[in-house]
Amino acid sequence: MATSFEERVKDREYVNWLKAGQGFRTLRSGLTIFLKRSTNKLHEELVKNTTGAKISCHEKKFSKQCGDSCKCWAIEIENMMALQEEDKPKKLNAIWSNCDHTKWSLEEGGPWEVAKCYMNPGQQKTNTGPESTDISGMLNLIANCNYIELKTDKNKIKVKEIRNHRNDVMHSCELTLTDEKLKKVFTDMETLVGDEAIADYKDADKALYELKKIKDADMTVEVEIQLIQETHVYLVEAAKIVGEEGIIKNALECLNKFLENNKDLQEAVQERLGKLEADVETLKNQSAEHIKEATGKNAQGNALERNRVELVNRMNIIELLSHLRQDSVITEQTEAQIMVGATGFKQNELLLDYLKKRPPADHEKFRQALIETNQTDLVKLTK
């Protein structure tokens, strides 16, 4: 069992995994200008194809109930979708839930809201451009949008291969990568940023230089912390979309176990995310009189404490956190702090400790979130 960075980097395949992760971060920076220019051109084409139709819609999400201007834009967006497979005529589905359709026709913000239709599910409102998009979103955009072209046709296929490489790395339970696979990952990434459609942009040239350096570079503690943190946040978000079964769940459980076995790394990641554990411990160590005063003002807090054991044992937290964040009960940072390095029961305990400090209005939102996540039978335990 590794207990320090020095011990962990003795494992060559773990170092390979870190290098691949750092490579994907570098590739992301190398695609930024290319995608910004490409999506602006895509938007200009859509404006032309829709004859400049302006969207005036009050629907929260795009649906068949939307007006003709929305539908007109949706048709043109779908026309740019790639085929599911090269030899089959059926196109991929646009992910309408990724974007704010009311902004599609806007010159400011519109290009990226359109671009998000071609990305993998789960894109956030805060994703407003390539600078705030992860490498998975970028690769899916290039692969799924026919309008975005590369100079070498084969490199479109290469994009899909890199996307598979990235998924293999992020979903790895062992956090390892063989020498042979690492070489393939970097060769494919260098080929992509070297494509003539991308290579002339200054960020792509810099990324190509950095990719060549990373292969032979020593990894640092700072890089390790960043990659582990980003991987954990990604897996937590992905689990909300695909549910708690399969590859994502296994990868998240493995990463949490890895952090539990490497306390120095767990502590460093938690410190980066705001030291929630320390905050919770401070709350627990408050005087009995202060706790009594606090819970006396909040009957819901008493209920959470009284039924704590049952709630901890029965709550399904993944979807619950997503609803609480959308309702502004918790922030993205707090959500990440609850999830990092902790497993099911511990996560539930951290959430309950956090909720005890919240006002009655947030407890009502908590109950509504339980209902919306099919945990209605737990509502009575919160009153």
Side-chain angles (χ1 to χ4, degrees):
M1 180 189 301
T3 57
S4 69
F5 174 73
E6 290 73 18
E7 286 295 318
R8 289 190 292 274
V9 294
K10 290 178 182 179
D11 184 341
R12 183 183 180 89
E13 293 193 346
Y14 175 65
V15 173
N16 287 348
W17 183 86
L18 291 175
K19 288 183 176 182
Q22 184 70 347
F24 291 127
R25 297 176 84 239
T26 302
L27 176 63
R28 173 184 172 276
S29 66
L31 297 174
T32 299
I33 298 177
F34 167 70
L35 285 177
K36 184 174 287 188
R37 301 278 177 85
S38 297
T39 51
N40 284 339
K41 290 178 181 178
L42 166 64
H43 192 257
E44 291 171 3
E45 184 70 14
L46 292 172
V47 168
K48 183 175 68 175
N49 293 348
T50 58
T51 63
K54 297 294 183 183
I55 293 177
S56 178
C57 183
H58 302 292
E59 296 290 334
K60 289 185 177 181
K61 295 182 180 180
F62 174 74
S63 67
K64 294 179 179 179
Q65 282 69 47
C66 290
D68 290 341
S69 59
C70 294
K71 293 176 183 176
C72 177
W73 272 84
I75 289 171
E76 293 302 327
I77 289 171
E78 287 182 321
N79 286 341
M80 301 290 188
M81 290 296 299
L83 300 177
Q84 290 187 5
E85 294 181 30
E86 295 298 325
D87 58 343
K88 293 183 179 180
K90 188 174 181 181
K91 292 196 171 190
L92 293 164
N93 295 320
I95 309 299
W96 307 123
S97 59
N98 273 348
C99 60
D100 182 349
H101 69 288
T102 65
K103 295 180 179 178
W104 284 344
S105 62
L106 299 179
E107 184 176 350
E108 184 70 29
W112 206 251
E113 290 304 320
V114 167
K116 285 155 70 174
C117 297
Y118 302 96
M119 299 181 196
N120 46 301
Q123 302 303 317
Q124 302 293 325
K125 290 181 180 179
T126 51
N127 177 0
T128 56
E131 298 86 355
S132 53
T133 303
D134 67 10
I135 186 60
S136 179
M138 287 183 166
L139 294 172
N140 276 289
L141 171 57
I142 299 171
N144 297 340
C145 180
N146 276 336
Y147 186 82
I148 299 177
E149 295 182 339
L150 301 176
K151 193 69 174 179
T152 305
D153 290 341
K154 288 183 179 179
N155 285 345
K156 270 277 192 175
I157 299 174
K158 194 69 68 180
V159 170
K160 297 177 182 178
E161 292 177 1
I162 296 171
R163 183 176 60 186
N164 291 337
H165 296 331
R166 180 262 178 195
N167 289 341
D168 289 343
V169 169
M170 297 297 279
H171 302 161
S172 170
C173 271
E174 295 79 17
L175 306 185
T176 58
L177 203 65
T178 65
D179 290 346
E180 182 180 0
K181 186 61 182 284
L182 181 70
K183 181 179 179 181
K184 172 66 173 167
V185 169
F186 273 85
T187 298
D188 288 348
M189 289 193 291
E190 290 170 15
T191 298
L192 177 58
V193 291
D195 185 277
E196 289 183 29
I198 302 173
D200 287 341
Y201 295 115
K202 61 181 181 180
D203 60 346
D205 186 57
K206 181 180 178 181
L208 184 58
Y209 173 74
E210 292 295 330
L211 285 170
K212 292 176 187 274
K213 284 177 57 179
I214 291 170
K215 287 184 294 185
D216 300 318
D218 293 330
M219 291 292 97
T220 65
V221 175
E222 179 63 22
V223 168
E224 181 189 40
I225 294 170
Q226 288 177 344
L227 291 174
I228 292 294
Q229 176 188 329
E230 290 173 7
T231 302
H232 197 282
V233 170
Y234 157 73
L235 290 172
V236 169
E237 291 298 319
K240 297 173 191 172
I241 298 168
V242 303
E244 294 191 72
E245 299 299 329
I247 294 175
I248 298 292
K249 179 187 178 183
N250 291 339
L252 184 56
E253 288 179 347
C254 289
L255 184 55
N256 280 333
K257 186 174 181 180
F258 176 79
L259 286 169
E260 289 174 358
N261 291 335
N262 293 272
K263 292 297 184 183
D264 64 311
L265 184 56
Q266 182 184 34
E267 290 169 4
V269 172
Q270 287 174 336
E271 182 177 3
R272 182 73 65 85
L273 290 170
K275 299 181 178 178
L276 178 73
E277 290 277 8
D279 292 340
V280 170
E281 199 60 35
T282 298
L283 178 65
K284 288 180 178 178
N285 291 334
Q286 290 175 332
S287 68
E289 183 177 343
H290 184 81
I291 291 289
K292 183 177 180 180
E293 178 184 355
T295 55
K297 293 179 180 178
N298 188 345
Q300 290 92 343
N302 283 327
L304 296 183
E305 189 63 29
R306 186 172 59 252
N307 299 307
R308 182 183 182 88
V309 173
E310 189 168 359
L311 286 167
V312 166
N313 286 328
R314 295 177 58 190
M315 278 196 308
N316 181 345
I317 197 170
I318 297 294
E319 291 185 26
L320 196 56
L321 287 177
S322 179
H323 281 271
L324 292 175
R325 178 159 54 81
Q326 290 174 10
D327 289 336
S328 301
V329 177
I330 62 173
T331 63
E332 287 187 22
Q333 183 185 41
T334 301
E335 180 183 17
Q337 291 165 345
I338 290 173
M339 296 301 292
V340 69
T343 51
F345 292 156
K346 182 63 175 176
Q347 292 164 355
N348 288 346
E349 287 180 348
L350 293 174
L351 175 59
L352 291 177
D353 286 329
Y354 175 82
L355 288 171
K356 285 197 312 186
K357 299 182 290 182
R358 305 303 297 173
D362 282 354
H363 285 264
E364 185 56 41
K365 291 177 181 178
F366 172 54
R367 284 191 284 272
Q368 186 59 38
L370 286 171
I371 293 171
E372 292 175 358
T373 56
N374 297 317
Q375 302 181 72
T376 307
D377 55 326
L378 299 183
V379 172
K380 63 180 181 294
L381 301 177
T382 69
K383 297 180 179 181

